Amino acid sequence: MPKRHLVDLAATATRLADNTQLWESLVDYDPVSRYYARLALTREHEAWLLTWVPGQGTDWHDHGGSAGAFTVVRGALTEEHAVLTGDDSAVVASSRELGTGSLRPFGTRHVHRVTNTSLEPAVSTHVYAPALTRMNG
């Protein structure tokens, strides 16, 4: 049976995204690597602000057993999602464009990579439960 989290990750990600006073002054763009700032850390979850200039993205990764949700609060991101096969190899299952306002919840075995493939910078808020201890790429 999957773990139940004490926090509703999708609702928390949406609430953070809507609270622009919390994150707006933290927005910064780094042309070399993705910029990030922690927004919250509790016993139940943690939250982050990430910024993405055009072309920036992650490698393929999971979240070390944490579930999560992220919301695009500015710009657009492309997420490629992989499905783990029985031998733990990954097969790309889908790719989707996530524009401003898009919410993407995911479970503890989610494997993906996220990239800003647009011509404009993007900003997103991310929530994980439990707090991230590692990301496996």
Side-chain angles (χ1 to χ4, degrees):
M1 173 175 263
K3 286 184 190 177
R4 298 285 303 161
H5 300 288
L6 299 176
V7 61
D8 181 331
L9 297 172
T12 302
T14 300
R15 193 168 45 256
L16 283 170
D18 291 343
N19 186 0
T20 57
Q21 290 181 348
L22 174 66
W23 55 263
E24 186 70 44
S25 65
L26 299 174
V27 171
D28 196 7
Y29 299 101
D30 184 334
V32 176
S33 63
R34 285 178 299 115
Y35 171 82
Y36 54 92
R38 183 180 272 152
L39 298 175
L41 177 61
T42 72
R43 289 179 16 173
E44 292 83 26
H45 71 283
E46 71 177 330
W48 293 87
L49 172 81
L50 280 75
T51 67
W52 319 69
V53 298
Q56 283 181 339
T58 68
D59 292 327
W60 285 100
H61 66 280
D62 67 18
H63 298 91
S66 293
F70 69 93
T71 304
V72 180
V73 295
R74 186 178 299 155
L77 296 170
T78 300
E79 181 198 32
E80 294 173 277
H81 166 237
V83 173
L84 296 176
T85 62
D87 63 357
D88 279 340
S89 60
V91 177
V92 176
S94 66
S95 177
R96 68 178 81 191
E97 294 294 318
L98 301 165
T100 300
S102 295
L103 170 67
R104 177 63 163 115
F106 53 86
T108 58
R109 291 183 40 86
H110 189 69
V111 176
H112 69 168
R113 71 176 165 190
V114 180
T115 308
N116 180 355
T117 59
S118 74
L119 299 176
E120 300 294 326
V123 179
S124 54
T125 57
H126 300 245
V127 180
Y128 304 100
L132 291 178
T133 56
R134 69 182 191 277
M135 287 174 46
N136 301 310

